[in-house]
Amino acid sequence: MNIQQLTETAQAMVAPGKGILAMDESNPTCGKRLAAVGVDNSEDNRRAYRELLLTTPGLGDYISGAILYDETIRQSLADGTPFPKAMQDRGIIPGIKVDTGAKELAGHPGEKVTEGLDGLRERLKEYHDLGARFAKWRAVITIGKDMPSRGCLEANAHALARYAALCQEAELVPIVEPEVLFDGDHSIERCFQVTREAQSRLFSQLYHQNVAFSGLVLKPSMVLAGKDAAQQSAPDQVARETLRCLRDTVPAAVPGVAFLSGGQSDQQATEHLNLMNQQAKKMQLPWQLTFSYARALQHVALTTWRGEKDKVAEAQQALLHRAKCNSAASRGQYNEKLEHEMAA
Ligand code: 13P
């Protein structure tokens, strides 16, 4: 394992002013997104949509890396250039989702554990050969009555740590994603408690599996009240509680934290990131704070495109605009004026 190389890649993924484009939807999830805009879930439509995203002019100014899926990493632009090569040409690091999904956790009704460890060493080698330089694994934690259980938190943290160790062995930077779901009517205090526990168990397991903290990126959810909670969280409270949680749990050696959007609106996700970076300036935090959004980056592009060839350029402008707003937010420099300015 070349820790120096892994550290440099991890630092490049969270370089100032840059974030990650998550476009690693599995085929069924991509199908759901396409169905919402009346597009068939065919392999070629999935390919065409991902080509639109990756060939957005100027995307590499704001996006350091993009996360592909097993099908996508093997696909090419219409001109025959493989996606990983097209990304490298644009200064975008290829990444790959390697988990095989969150499945029911036996003995724990209503809870999930993420699968994909069997055969992972061999798959990682293949992905590295195909050009990937980082990977992603997502664990899903539900807040509910008597949930999450200790068994669920431990099983997911353990799997994330085993995945991360295998990634570093294969010279891939692991993105470790313990997602605490936004679904439910829980309070922000409860979200804080669960997120803190999930993250501290995760870093303990990473330590026990000899994972180098300098060669990974944490992809957490933000700390906020559930989407059905009567009392929704104020943006500055979300920023404050999320930072408090990170400070309690994330080692200083970790180069960066790249948040998921988790069902927040595009503008909410940007505003929260911006406020965190503004507050962070007064706190001297050791890590970069940026984005690794899927829905909050792609939503406008997808609804602009709707499968129509003559909408590709407009959809790319919409994606670039969100990338630019989130880039500004990662520096604490996002504002209303920027939000309403059309990407040039
Ligand atoms: P969202 O930003 O849509 O939550 O997706 C991020 C992601 O990669 C989920 O694994």
Side-chain angles (χ1 to χ4, degrees):
M1 167 169 88
N2 181 343
I3 294 183
Q4 181 64 27
Q5 182 61 52
L6 288 168
T7 304
E8 283 172 20
T9 303
Q11 286 169 344
M13 288 161 65
V14 297
K18 294 203 180 178
I20 297 166
L21 168 61
M23 44 177 284
D24 57 325
E25 299 82 7
S26 63
N27 292 350
T29 302
C30 189
K32 266 192 251 167
R33 306 273 186 266
L34 293 178
V37 295
V39 175
D40 277 351
N41 189 20
S42 66
E43 179 173 351
D44 201 54
N45 286 339
R46 294 192 295 269
R47 194 208 62 75
Y49 174 55
R50 268 61 175 262
E51 169 159 355
L52 176 161
L53 299 176
L54 290 176
T55 58
T56 295
L59 194 65
D61 294 345
Y62 310 117
I63 298 293
S64 57
I67 318 173
L68 304 173
Y69 178 62
D70 184 72
E71 175 180 90
T72 329
I73 198 170
R74 303 167 198 282
Q75 289 175 326
S76 302
L77 302 184
D79 72 7
T81 313
F83 279 172
K85 166 84 169 64
M87 293 165 72
Q88 286 151 6
D89 293 347
R90 289 164 174 76
I92 298 172
I93 309 169
I96 178 78
K97 168 194 173 78
V98 303
D99 67 70
T100 56
K103 309 285 164 59
E104 308 259 296
L105 177 62
H108 297 77
E111 297 194 283
K112 300 210 154 150
V113 65
T114 301
E115 295 188 348
L117 288 172
D118 289 353
L120 184 58
R121 176 176 276 132
E122 293 72 28
R123 289 199 292 130
L124 293 177
K125 182 175 182 322
E126 187 192 6
Y127 291 138
H128 190 279
D129 291 347
L130 287 166
R133 290 297 174 266
F134 69 93
K136 185 196 101 168
W137 178 291
R138 169 177 177 256
V140 181
I141 290 143
T142 305
I143 301 182
K145 189 175 175 313
D146 301 325
M147 286 195 283
S149 63
R150 179 170 177 175
C152 169
L153 291 173
E154 284 292 324
N156 278 293
H158 182 76
L160 273 163
R162 291 218 22 230
Y163 139 83
L166 283 161
C167 282
Q168 291 191 337
E169 179 190 273
E171 312 293 354
L172 292 164
V173 170
I175 294 186
V176 289
E177 181 179 3
E179 176 171 6
V180 176
L181 294 178
F182 186 25
D183 302 325
D185 61 1
H186 50 269
S187 63
I188 187 169
E189 290 78 15
R190 177 85 178 115
C191 183
F192 175 87
Q193 194 184 36
V194 169
T195 309
R196 184 175 185 274
E197 183 155 1
Q199 286 173 182
S200 43
R201 284 183 195 275
L202 170 61
F203 281 100
S204 159
Q205 291 283 347
L206 289 165
Y207 167 77
H208 288 302
Q209 296 303 326
N210 293 331
V211 174
F213 293 149
S214 66
L216 66 81
V217 170
L218 174 68
K219 177 163 173 168
S221 40
M222 296 181 197
V223 174
L224 73 186
K227 66 174 177 244
D228 302 323
Q231 173 82 50
Q232 288 294 303
S233 318
D236 66 333
Q237 191 187 14
V238 174
R240 200 171 52 244
E241 294 304 296
T242 306
L243 292 182
R244 189 158 73 90
C245 192
L246 294 173
R247 280 221 295 193
D248 277 359
T249 56
V250 185
V254 172
V257 173
F259 292 95
L260 60 93
S261 59
Q264 300 178 52
S265 75
D266 302 355
Q267 292 189 24
Q268 259 179 339
T270 309
E271 189 187 357
H272 288 151
L273 179 64
N274 190 53
L275 286 169
M276 277 190 267
N277 277 292
Q278 288 182 347
Q279 294 182 13
K281 284 191 180 130
K282 296 167 211 142
M283 295 165 81
Q284 298 201 317
L285 296 178
W287 347 268
Q288 295 288 325
L289 298 172
T290 189
F291 58 94
S292 174
Y293 299 157
R295 284 165 287 178
L297 276 172
Q298 293 183 40
H299 178 74
V300 213
L302 182 64
T303 50
T304 304
W305 175 56
R306 297 185 176 275
E308 292 170 36
K309 279 208 176 71
D310 61 357
K311 291 284 188 183
V312 167
E314 205 183 313
Q316 291 180 327
Q317 284 298 305
L319 172 65
L320 191 69
H321 181 60
R322 287 261 52 86
K324 185 175 175 181
C325 287
N326 284 302
S327 160
S330 75
R331 297 179 184 275
Q333 292 168 357
Y334 166 73
N335 54 40
E336 282 284 306
K337 185 164 169 284
L338 181 61
E339 181 60 56
H340 294 111
E341 154 193 310
M342 259 328 278

